[in-house]
Amino acid sequence: MEIRLDGKTAIITGAGGGMGKAAVERFLESGANVAALDIRTESLGELKKRYQEKLLVIDSNLTEQASVEAAFKEINEAYGRIDILANVAGIAQSATDIEEVSLEMWERIFSINTKAVFLTSRAAVPYMKRQGSGAILNVASISVERPRPGLNAYIASKGATVSLTKALAIELAPHHIRVNCVNPGPSDTQMLGEFTAAGADVESMKENTFRKSVPLGDLIQPQDIANALLYMSSDLARMMTGSVVNVDGGRGI
Ligand SMILES: NC(=O)c1ccc[n+]([C@@H]2O[C@H](COP(=O)([O-])OP(=O)(O)OC[C@H]3O[C@@H](n4cnc5c(N)ncnc54)[C@H](O)[C@@H]3O)[C@@H](O)[C@H]2O)c1
């Protein structure tokens, strides 16, 4: 069954990156208006030409309250409603022993992976409450369930996102706002190489560590995540809330 989101507005953060851009394209194909937020939006030029006013591209630093609020104001002026918020933006951590992790590194990772999810959710909820419905989707990581050494700050930040997903799911259920989370496994995007320790051979790590760690035998593609997000945002998932869905080729088993 084809999923259609005609007349709905979806906000996708991290929209200039691998999974975010795939999600932008998938949601546009399904008929939604899409607001695409990222600090790096160059990769969205071709989609903007193709979809014109159906796609609003906003340069936004999601760690800054004022930047998030300005983006939501612009989205409201363009589309007048917010039905779906997909928090895809994130940064990796180069594998680092805990005693070498600086406070600055820890705070930078939490700032985008956790604080930004709070800021965008807080901005979206008033619209969703007014409309009496909504879907918030967070992207965490399978590393929360199956950690790798040295990703201490990253895993803790994504664990907080999983907890926030459940906290908001129970809080917002009376308003028919569903909140769910996807845990990607090792995925074929630029970020994957950024998890390797400084000086490591990135290509060999991708092949010998990451791909081999997936029982289904392949890296996850950005489109696999986009498909899960589309389903979870749609009415097909109407009774799904507080769920954490692993799209990981079995890595979490
Ligand atoms: N690639 C993987 O193997 C993998 C595995 C598990 C989870 N994830 C998670 O999936 C999500 C998407 O990752 P991806 O693989 O597409 O990575 P990516 O690096 O291609 O995309 C991430 C995007 O987030 C944006 N971003 C970073 N900081 C920002 C900020 N302050 N404001 C606005 N945008 C900002 C970046 O500019 C980038 O475009 C992330 O949350 C990541 O943690 C990735």
Side-chain angles (χ1 to χ4, degrees), residues 71-114:
F72 274 71
K73 188 163 174 282
E74 199 179 332
I75 296 161
N76 184 40
E77 281 163 11
Y79 300 130
R81 57 183 297 123
I82 296 171
D83 302 281
I84 297 157
L85 166 66
N87 287 305
V88 185
I91 53 170
Q93 176 181 18
S94 174
T96 309
D97 293 343
I98 189 66
E99 64 272 32
E100 303 297 330
V101 175
S102 66
L103 180 59
E104 192 249 333
M105 181 194 273
W106 181 274
E107 288 183 339
R108 194 164 52 84
I109 290 169
F110 267 74
S111 188
I112 176 66
N113 291 359
T114 308

mmCIF file of all heavy atoms in Angstrom, residues 71-114:
data_model
loop_
_atom_site.group_PDB
_atom_site.id
_atom_site.type_symbol
_atom_site.label_atom_id
_atom_site.label_comp_id
_atom_site.label_asym_id
_atom_site.label_seq_id
_atom_site.Cartn_x
_atom_site.Cartn_y
_atom_site.Cartn_z
ATOM 1 N N ALA A 71 13.290 29.290 12.611
ATOM 2 C CA ALA A 71 12.945 28.301 11.582
ATOM 3 C C ALA A 71 11.461 27.911 11.679
ATOM 4 O O ALA A 71 10.750 27.847 10.667
ATOM 5 C CB ALA A 71 13.828 27.061 11.745
ATOM 6 N N PHE A 72 10.969 27.701 12.909
ATOM 7 C CA PHE A 72 9.568 27.296 13.072
ATOM 8 C C PHE A 72 8.617 28.423 12.653
ATOM 9 O O PHE A 72 7.550 28.170 12.102
ATOM 10 C CB PHE A 72 9.297 26.823 14.508
ATOM 11 C CG PHE A 72 9.632 25.362 14.686
ATOM 12 C CD1 PHE A 72 10.948 24.932 14.679
ATOM 13 C CD2 PHE A 72 8.631 24.407 14.818
ATOM 14 C CE1 PHE A 72 11.269 23.576 14.807
ATOM 15 C CE2 PHE A 72 8.939 23.058 14.946
ATOM 16 C CZ PHE A 72 10.260 22.647 14.949
ATOM 17 N N LYS A 73 9.031 29.664 12.893
ATOM 18 C CA LYS A 73 8.213 30.807 12.469
ATOM 19 C C LYS A 73 8.097 30.811 10.937
ATOM 20 O O LYS A 73 7.012 30.976 10.372
ATOM 21 C CB LYS A 73 8.886 32.096 12.981
ATOM 22 C CG LYS A 73 8.080 33.342 12.806
ATOM 23 C CD LYS A 73 8.646 34.457 13.702
ATOM 24 C CE LYS A 73 7.960 35.783 13.450
ATOM 25 N NZ LYS A 73 8.417 36.462 12.255
ATOM 26 N N GLU A 74 9.230 30.584 10.294
ATOM 27 C CA GLU A 74 9.243 30.562 8.818
ATOM 28 C C GLU A 74 8.378 29.412 8.274
ATOM 29 O O GLU A 74 7.653 29.583 7.295
ATOM 30 C CB GLU A 74 10.705 30.417 8.365
ATOM 31 C CG GLU A 74 10.938 30.828 6.934
ATOM 32 C CD GLU A 74 12.417 30.696 6.521
ATOM 33 O OE1 GLU A 74 13.320 30.815 7.399
ATOM 34 O OE2 GLU A 74 12.656 30.470 5.331
ATOM 35 N N ILE A 75 8.444 28.277 8.935
ATOM 36 C CA ILE A 75 7.652 27.109 8.488
ATOM 37 C C ILE A 75 6.157 27.410 8.656
ATOM 38 O O ILE A 75 5.340 27.134 7.772
ATOM 39 C CB ILE A 75 8.042 25.845 9.293
ATOM 40 C CG1 ILE A 75 9.495 25.459 9.023
ATOM 41 C CG2 ILE A 75 7.104 24.677 8.957
ATOM 42 C CD1 ILE A 75 10.110 24.540 10.067
ATOM 43 N N ASN A 76 5.817 28.005 9.783
ATOM 44 C CA ASN A 76 4.408 28.342 10.029
ATOM 45 C C ASN A 76 3.893 29.320 8.964
ATOM 46 O O ASN A 76 2.787 29.168 8.445
ATOM 47 C CB ASN A 76 4.251 28.922 11.434
ATOM 48 C CG ASN A 76 2.801 29.187 11.772
ATOM 49 O OD1 ASN A 76 1.929 28.390 11.435
ATOM 50 N ND2 ASN A 76 2.525 30.301 12.405
ATOM 51 N N GLU A 77 4.732 30.304 8.626
ATOM 52 C CA GLU A 77 4.313 31.285 7.611
ATOM 53 C C GLU A 77 4.142 30.616 6.246
ATOM 54 O O GLU A 77 3.253 30.965 5.483
ATOM 55 C CB GLU A 77 5.332 32.422 7.529
ATOM 56 C CG GLU A 77 5.149 33.427 8.673
ATOM 57 C CD GLU A 77 6.355 34.335 8.902
ATOM 58 O OE1 GLU A 77 7.284 34.343 8.051
ATOM 59 O OE2 GLU A 77 6.377 35.006 9.940
ATOM 60 N N ALA A 78 4.977 29.638 5.960
ATOM 61 C CA ALA A 78 4.913 28.989 4.632
ATOM 62 C C ALA A 78 3.767 27.989 4.537
ATOM 63 O O ALA A 78 3.060 27.932 3.528
ATOM 64 C CB ALA A 78 6.235 28.277 4.341
ATOM 65 N N TYR A 79 3.549 27.180 5.575
ATOM 66 C CA TYR A 79 2.613 26.046 5.453
ATOM 67 C C TYR A 79 1.457 26.079 6.454
ATOM 68 O O TYR A 79 0.481 25.337 6.291
ATOM 69 C CB TYR A 79 3.369 24.725 5.606
ATOM 70 C CG TYR A 79 4.459 24.519 4.571
ATOM 71 C CD1 TYR A 79 5.747 24.157 4.952
ATOM 72 C CD2 TYR A 79 4.198 24.685 3.207
ATOM 73 C CE1 TYR A 79 6.748 23.959 4.014
ATOM 74 C CE2 TYR A 79 5.199 24.496 2.267
ATOM 75 C CZ TYR A 79 6.475 24.140 2.675
ATOM 76 O OH TYR A 79 7.458 23.954 1.739
ATOM 77 N N GLY A 80 1.601 26.853 7.555
ATOM 78 C CA GLY A 80 0.490 27.030 8.497
ATOM 79 C C GLY A 80 0.184 25.847 9.400
ATOM 80 O O GLY A 80 -0.764 25.920 10.192
ATOM 81 N N ARG A 81 0.932 24.771 9.306
ATOM 82 C CA ARG A 81 0.709 23.635 10.204
ATOM 83 C C ARG A 81 1.973 22.778 10.285
ATOM 84 O O ARG A 81 2.846 22.860 9.414
ATOM 85 C CB ARG A 81 -0.476 22.782 9.746
ATOM 86 C CG ARG A 81 -0.368 22.246 8.334
ATOM 87 C CD ARG A 81 -1.613 21.483 7.919
ATOM 88 N NE ARG A 81 -1.826 20.301 8.728
ATOM 89 C CZ ARG A 81 -2.948 20.066 9.440
ATOM 90 N NH1 ARG A 81 -3.944 20.915 9.405
ATOM 91 N NH2 ARG A 81 -3.062 18.965 10.157
ATOM 92 N N ILE A 82 2.046 21.961 11.336
ATOM 93 C CA ILE A 82 3.172 21.027 11.492
ATOM 94 C C ILE A 82 2.595 19.682 11.922
ATOM 95 O O ILE A 82 1.977 19.574 12.983
ATOM 96 C CB ILE A 82 4.187 21.538 12.540
ATOM 97 C CG1 ILE A 82 4.832 22.849 12.054
ATOM 98 C CG2 ILE A 82 5.249 20.477 12.814
ATOM 99 C CD1 ILE A 82 5.683 23.553 13.112
ATOM 100 N N ASP A 83 2.751 18.684 11.079
ATOM 101 C CA ASP A 83 2.198 17.355 11.381
ATOM 102 C C ASP A 83 3.266 16.364 11.822
ATOM 103 O O ASP A 83 2.983 15.452 12.599
ATOM 104 C CB ASP A 83 1.498 16.800 10.128
ATOM 105 C CG ASP A 83 0.406 17.736 9.660
ATOM 106 O OD1 ASP A 83 -0.679 17.710 10.256
ATOM 107 O OD2 ASP A 83 0.655 18.533 8.718
ATOM 108 N N ILE A 84 4.464 16.526 11.253
ATOM 109 C CA ILE A 84 5.512 15.524 11.475
ATOM 110 C C ILE A 84 6.824 16.253 11.762
ATOM 111 O O ILE A 84 7.158 17.219 11.074
ATOM 112 C CB ILE A 84 5.677 14.644 10.206
ATOM 113 C CG1 ILE A 84 4.381 13.861 9.939
ATOM 114 C CG2 ILE A 84 6.886 13.710 10.328
ATOM 115 C CD1 ILE A 84 4.205 13.417 8.501
ATOM 116 N N LEU A 85 7.521 15.777 12.783
ATOM 117 C CA LEU A 85 8.877 16.285 13.060
ATOM 118 C C LEU A 85 9.802 15.086 13.091
ATOM 119 O O LEU A 85 9.633 14.196 13.930
ATOM 120 C CB LEU A 85 8.905 17.012 14.414
ATOM 121 C CG LEU A 85 10.305 17.301 14.970
ATOM 122 C CD1 LEU A 85 11.053 18.308 14.093
ATOM 123 C CD2 LEU A 85 10.216 17.832 16.410
ATOM 124 N N ALA A 86 10.758 15.039 12.179
ATOM 125 C CA ALA A 86 11.751 13.957 12.180
ATOM 126 C C ALA A 86 13.102 14.544 12.581
ATOM 127 O O ALA A 86 13.704 15.324 11.827
ATOM 128 C CB ALA A 86 11.824 13.305 10.807
ATOM 129 N N ASN A 87 13.570 14.180 13.766
ATOM 130 C CA ASN A 87 14.857 14.662 14.276
ATOM 131 C C ASN A 87 15.967 13.724 13.812
ATOM 132 O O ASN A 87 16.245 12.714 14.451
ATOM 133 C CB ASN A 87 14.811 14.718 15.807
ATOM 134 C CG ASN A 87 13.963 15.864 16.308
ATOM 135 O OD1 ASN A 87 14.188 17.022 15.945
ATOM 136 N ND2 ASN A 87 12.970 15.563 17.133
ATOM 137 N N VAL A 88 16.562 14.072 12.685
ATOM 138 C CA VAL A 88 17.591 13.206 12.094
ATOM 139 C C VAL A 88 19.002 13.756 12.340
ATOM 140 O O VAL A 88 19.970 13.014 12.356
ATOM 141 C CB VAL A 88 17.339 13.051 10.565
ATOM 142 C CG1 VAL A 88 18.315 12.058 9.949
ATOM 143 C CG2 VAL A 88 15.899 12.598 10.296
ATOM 144 N N ALA A 89 19.110 15.055 12.567
ATOM 145 C CA ALA A 89 20.442 15.677 12.712
ATOM 146 C C ALA A 89 21.232 15.024 13.834
ATOM 147 O O ALA A 89 20.672 14.607 14.856
ATOM 148 C CB ALA A 89 20.291 17.171 13.000
ATOM 149 N N GLY A 90 22.516 14.943 13.640
ATOM 150 C CA GLY A 90 23.361 14.386 14.687
ATOM 151 C C GLY A 90 24.819 14.518 14.303
ATOM 152 O O GLY A 90 25.143 14.815 13.145
ATOM 153 N N ILE A 91 25.691 14.326 15.286
ATOM 154 C CA ILE A 91 27.125 14.242 14.992
ATOM 155 C C ILE A 91 27.693 12.988 15.630
ATOM 156 O O ILE A 91 27.183 12.497 16.638
ATOM 157 C CB ILE A 91 27.931 15.489 15.452
ATOM 158 C CG1 ILE A 91 27.683 15.807 16.929
ATOM 159 C CG2 ILE A 91 27.634 16.688 14.578
ATOM 160 C CD1 ILE A 91 28.632 16.870 17.485
ATOM 161 N N ALA A 92 28.766 12.510 15.011
ATOM 162 C CA ALA A 92 29.418 11.290 15.486
ATOM 163 C C ALA A 92 30.458 11.645 16.547
ATOM 164 O O ALA A 92 30.700 12.820 16.842
ATOM 165 C CB ALA A 92 30.102 10.597 14.310
ATOM 166 N N GLN A 93 31.049 10.620 17.127
ATOM 167 C CA GLN A 93 32.199 10.803 18.017
ATOM 168 C C GLN A 93 33.305 9.893 17.504
ATOM 169 O O GLN A 93 33.074 8.692 17.311
ATOM 170 C CB GLN A 93 31.837 10.394 19.452
ATOM 171 C CG GLN A 93 33.025 10.471 20.406
ATOM 172 C CD GLN A 93 32.663 10.028 21.821
ATOM 173 O OE1 GLN A 93 31.653 9.365 22.040
ATOM 174 N NE2 GLN A 93 33.507 10.382 22.772
ATOM 175 N N SER A 94 34.445 10.454 17.274
ATOM 176 C CA SER A 94 35.597 9.633 16.940
ATOM 177 C C SER A 94 35.940 8.816 18.197
ATOM 178 O O SER A 94 36.067 9.382 19.284
ATOM 179 C CB SER A 94 36.747 10.564 16.550
ATOM 180 O OG SER A 94 37.907 9.825 16.354
ATOM 181 N N ALA A 95 36.036 7.495 18.052
ATOM 182 C CA ALA A 95 36.232 6.631 19.232
ATOM 183 C C ALA A 95 37.380 7.153 20.105
ATOM 184 O O ALA A 95 38.505 7.320 19.628
ATOM 185 C CB ALA A 95 36.511 5.202 18.776
ATOM 186 N N THR A 96 37.061 7.435 21.372
ATOM 187 C CA THR A 96 38.014 8.091 22.285
ATOM 188 C C THR A 96 37.880 7.465 23.670
ATOM 189 O O THR A 96 36.762 7.354 24.193
ATOM 190 C CB THR A 96 37.666 9.607 22.410
ATOM 191 O OG1 THR A 96 37.532 10.166 21.101
ATOM 192 C CG2 THR A 96 38.733 10.364 23.170
ATOM 193 N N ASP A 97 38.999 7.081 24.250
ATOM 194 C CA ASP A 97 38.946 6.561 25.623
ATOM 195 C C ASP A 97 38.387 7.629 26.559
ATOM 196 O O ASP A 97 38.703 8.817 26.403
ATOM 197 C CB ASP A 97 40.353 6.163 26.099
ATOM 198 C CG ASP A 97 40.886 4.962 25.319
ATOM 199 O OD1 ASP A 97 40.075 4.268 24.664
ATOM 200 O OD2 ASP A 97 42.114 4.745 25.343
ATOM 201 N N ILE A 98 37.615 7.212 27.555
ATOM 202 C CA ILE A 98 36.884 8.167 28.402
ATOM 203 C C ILE A 98 37.803 9.205 29.053
ATOM 204 O O ILE A 98 37.454 10.385 29.162
ATOM 205 C CB ILE A 98 36.013 7.434 29.468
ATOM 206 C CG1 ILE A 98 35.092 8.402 30.206
ATOM 207 C CG2 ILE A 98 36.871 6.636 30.446
ATOM 208 C CD1 ILE A 98 34.019 9.038 29.394
ATOM 209 N N GLU A 99 39.026 8.770 29.430
ATOM 210 C CA GLU A 99 39.906 9.730 30.123
ATOM 211 C C GLU A 99 40.457 10.791 29.176
ATOM 212 O O GLU A 99 41.022 11.789 29.617
ATOM 213 C CB GLU A 99 41.032 9.005 30.885
ATOM 214 C CG GLU A 99 42.009 8.226 30.025
ATOM 215 C CD GLU A 99 41.580 6.791 29.734
ATOM 216 O OE1 GLU A 99 40.370 6.525 29.636
ATOM 217 O OE2 GLU A 99 42.472 5.946 29.570
ATOM 218 N N GLU A 100 40.262 10.573 27.869
ATOM 219 C CA GLU A 100 40.728 11.558 26.874
ATOM 220 C C GLU A 100 39.594 12.452 26.375
ATOM 221 O O GLU A 100 39.805 13.333 25.545
ATOM 222 C CB GLU A 100 41.324 10.830 25.651
ATOM 223 C CG GLU A 100 42.468 9.866 25.951
ATOM 224 C CD GLU A 100 43.674 10.587 26.543
ATOM 225 O OE1 GLU A 100 43.885 11.773 26.214
ATOM 226 O OE2 GLU A 100 44.369 9.963 27.379
ATOM 227 N N VAL A 101 38.384 12.194 26.848
ATOM 228 C CA VAL A 101 37.234 12.974 26.346
ATOM 229 C C VAL A 101 37.198 14.322 27.054
ATOM 230 O O VAL A 101 37.091 14.385 28.278
ATOM 231 C CB VAL A 101 35.903 12.210 26.586
ATOM 232 C CG1 VAL A 101 34.702 13.062 26.191
ATOM 233 C CG2 VAL A 101 35.908 10.896 25.813
ATOM 234 N N SER A 102 37.270 15.404 26.271
ATOM 235 C CA SER A 102 37.237 16.743 26.891
ATOM 236 C C SER A 102 35.794 17.105 27.202
ATOM 237 O O SER A 102 34.849 16.595 26.573
ATOM 238 C CB SER A 102 37.837 17.782 25.944
ATOM 239 O OG SER A 102 37.008 17.907 24.801
ATOM 240 N N LEU A 103 35.634 18.010 28.145
ATOM 241 C CA LEU A 103 34.291 18.490 28.477
ATOM 242 C C LEU A 103 33.656 19.136 27.241
ATOM 243 O O LEU A 103 32.470 18.982 26.979
ATOM 244 C CB LEU A 103 34.375 19.503 29.627
ATOM 245 C CG LEU A 103 33.043 20.088 30.096
ATOM 246 C CD1 LEU A 103 32.080 19.001 30.566
ATOM 247 C CD2 LEU A 103 33.268 21.111 31.206
ATOM 248 N N GLU A 104 34.492 19.825 26.469
ATOM 249 C CA GLU A 104 33.992 20.500 25.265
ATOM 250 C C GLU A 104 33.432 19.464 24.264
ATOM 251 O O GLU A 104 32.363 19.650 23.699
ATOM 252 C CB GLU A 104 35.162 21.288 24.660
ATOM 253 C CG GLU A 104 34.753 22.271 23.588
ATOM 254 C CD GLU A 104 35.224 21.847 22.219
ATOM 255 O OE1 GLU A 104 36.241 21.125 22.130
ATOM 256 O OE2 GLU A 104 34.550 22.213 21.246
ATOM 257 N N MET A 105 34.142 18.352 24.096
ATOM 258 C CA MET A 105 33.675 17.300 23.180
ATOM 259 C C MET A 105 32.337 16.725 23.680
ATOM 260 O O MET A 105 31.372 16.574 22.934
ATOM 261 C CB MET A 105 34.708 16.163 23.068
ATOM 262 C CG MET A 105 34.292 15.047 22.115
ATOM 263 S SD MET A 105 35.296 13.537 22.266
ATOM 264 C CE MET A 105 36.645 13.857 21.192
ATOM 265 N N TRP A 106 32.291 16.427 24.985
ATOM 266 C CA TRP A 106 31.078 15.861 25.582
ATOM 267 C C TRP A 106 29.881 16.790 25.345
ATOM 268 O O TRP A 106 28.820 16.378 24.905
ATOM 269 C CB TRP A 106 31.310 15.641 27.084
ATOM 270 C CG TRP A 106 30.143 15.030 27.793
ATOM 271 C CD1 TRP A 106 29.068 15.701 28.316
ATOM 272 C CD2 TRP A 106 29.905 13.638 28.031
ATOM 273 N NE1 TRP A 106 28.193 14.799 28.875
ATOM 274 C CE2 TRP A 106 28.673 13.537 28.714
ATOM 275 C CE3 TRP A 106 30.617 12.476 27.745
ATOM 276 C CZ2 TRP A 106 28.131 12.308 29.101
ATOM 277 C CZ3 TRP A 106 30.079 11.251 28.142
ATOM 278 C CH2 TRP A 106 28.847 11.175 28.811
ATOM 279 N N GLU A 107 30.102 18.089 25.620
ATOM 280 C CA GLU A 107 28.991 19.044 25.525
ATOM 281 C C GLU A 107 28.576 19.295 24.083
ATOM 282 O O GLU A 107 27.394 19.478 23.797
ATOM 283 C CB GLU A 107 29.375 20.359 26.233
ATOM 284 C CG GLU A 107 29.379 20.151 27.746
ATOM 285 C CD GLU A 107 29.678 21.398 28.560
ATOM 286 O OE1 GLU A 107 30.271 22.346 28.021
ATOM 287 O OE2 GLU A 107 29.339 21.391 29.761
ATOM 288 N N ARG A 108 29.521 19.268 23.161
ATOM 289 C CA ARG A 108 29.189 19.481 21.738
ATOM 290 C C ARG A 108 28.298 18.337 21.242
ATOM 291 O O ARG A 108 27.311 18.550 20.537
ATOM 292 C CB ARG A 108 30.482 19.560 20.912
ATOM 293 C CG ARG A 108 30.275 20.093 19.515
ATOM 294 C CD ARG A 108 31.611 20.512 18.899
ATOM 295 N NE ARG A 108 32.609 19.455 18.979
ATOM 296 C CZ ARG A 108 32.720 18.463 18.112
ATOM 297 N NH1 ARG A 108 31.910 18.389 17.088
ATOM 298 N NH2 ARG A 108 33.642 17.537 18.257
ATOM 299 N N ILE A 109 28.650 17.122 21.637
ATOM 300 C CA ILE A 109 27.877 15.955 21.184
ATOM 301 C C ILE A 109 26.468 15.988 21.769
ATOM 302 O O ILE A 109 25.478 15.773 21.069
ATOM 303 C CB ILE A 109 28.647 14.655 21.529
ATOM 304 C CG1 ILE A 109 29.883 14.567 20.629
ATOM 305 C CG2 ILE A 109 27.757 13.430 21.362
ATOM 306 C CD1 ILE A 109 30.877 13.503 21.019
ATOM 307 N N PHE A 110 26.366 16.297 23.061
ATOM 308 C CA PHE A 110 25.026 16.380 23.676
ATOM 309 C C PHE A 110 24.221 17.537 23.106
ATOM 310 O O PHE A 110 22.998 17.481 23.022
ATOM 311 C CB PHE A 110 25.140 16.513 25.203
ATOM 312 C CG PHE A 110 25.073 15.178 25.893
ATOM 313 C CD1 PHE A 110 26.149 14.312 25.859
ATOM 314 C CD2 PHE A 110 23.919 14.766 26.539
ATOM 315 C CE1 PHE A 110 26.089 13.063 26.467
ATOM 316 C CE2 PHE A 110 23.839 13.518 27.149
ATOM 317 C CZ PHE A 110 24.930 12.668 27.119
ATOM 318 N N SER A 111 24.913 18.584 22.720
ATOM 319 C CA SER A 111 24.219 19.779 22.244
ATOM 320 C C SER A 111 23.415 19.469 20.990
ATOM 321 O O SER A 111 22.245 19.844 20.882
ATOM 322 C CB SER A 111 25.271 20.851 21.985
ATOM 323 O OG SER A 111 24.649 22.047 21.697
ATOM 324 N N ILE A 112 24.007 18.767 20.047
ATOM 325 C CA ILE A 112 23.249 18.476 18.815
ATOM 326 C C ILE A 112 22.428 17.190 18.946
ATOM 327 O O ILE A 112 21.266 17.133 18.546
ATOM 328 C CB ILE A 112 24.155 18.474 17.543
ATOM 329 C CG1 ILE A 112 23.362 18.071 16.302
ATOM 330 C CG2 ILE A 112 25.403 17.667 17.675
ATOM 331 C CD1 ILE A 112 22.302 19.033 15.905
ATOM 332 N N ASN A 113 22.988 16.158 19.563
ATOM 333 C CA ASN A 113 22.275 14.871 19.586
ATOM 334 C C ASN A 113 21.115 14.840 20.585
ATOM 335 O O ASN A 113 20.201 14.030 20.436
ATOM 336 C CB ASN A 113 23.244 13.734 19.912
ATOM 337 C CG ASN A 113 24.226 13.487 18.776
ATOM 338 O OD1 ASN A 113 24.165 14.150 17.751
ATOM 339 N ND2 ASN A 113 25.123 12.538 18.957
ATOM 340 N N THR A 114 21.151 15.690 21.595
ATOM 341 C CA THR A 114 20.113 15.638 22.632
ATOM 342 C C THR A 114 19.396 16.977 22.801
ATOM 343 O O THR A 114 18.182 17.053 22.683
ATOM 344 C CB THR A 114 20.746 15.216 23.982
ATOM 345 O OG1 THR A 114 21.484 14.016 23.770
ATOM 346 C CG2 THR A 114 19.688 14.959 25.028
#
